[in-house]
Amino acid sequence: MAHVTVRVPAVLAAGLGGRREVDVPYDADAGPPSVRRLLDVLAEEYPRFGRRVRDERGEVRRYVNVFVGADNIRDLSGQDTAVPAGTDVLVVQSVAGG
């Protein structure tokens, strides 16, 4: 069993039980998981996190950015982006101010 590490800033950590990073296991024989699969697993275990990151249609909220390595999934294949072994995923909520 392999895993992908998902990291979040402090503002999203409450949704993960106070954790800033979570290892999500996956079956390495099935190939790398997609971002969608990782978010599904996290939303099942941490519903509050799931609601903050994705809307009722399952789309990543417009003020949330998800990076696979250094690349924003919006510049790749969206939630269908594969996460290669050893690559971290970073979920960041935009912060606006005035």
Side-chain angles (χ1 to χ4, degrees), residues 9-94:
V11 69
L12 289 174
L16 294 174
R19 299 169 66 188
R20 299 271 318 263
E21 65 180 55
V22 177
D23 289 333
V24 180
Y26 70 94
D27 180 3
D29 293 335
S34 66
V35 169
R36 182 180 318 280
R37 176 72 183 128
L38 296 174
L39 293 178
D40 286 348
V41 168
L42 289 173
E44 186 174 316
E45 189 168 345
Y46 304 98
R48 181 176 171 196
F49 175 80
R51 289 189 303 273
R52 290 198 62 190
V53 171
R54 295 193 288 188
D55 63 21
E56 51 284 335
R57 296 177 322 227
E59 298 298 322
V60 174
R61 294 186 183 278
R62 62 182 167 77
Y63 56 82
V64 173
N65 292 300
V66 180
F67 294 89
V68 174
D71 299 312
N72 191 320
I73 64 167
R74 289 186 171 97
D75 298 329
L76 302 170
S77 298
Q79 290 188 71
D80 295 325
T81 301
V83 182
T87 304
D88 287 349
V89 173
L90 176 63
V91 180
V92 181
Q93 185 173 358
S94 299

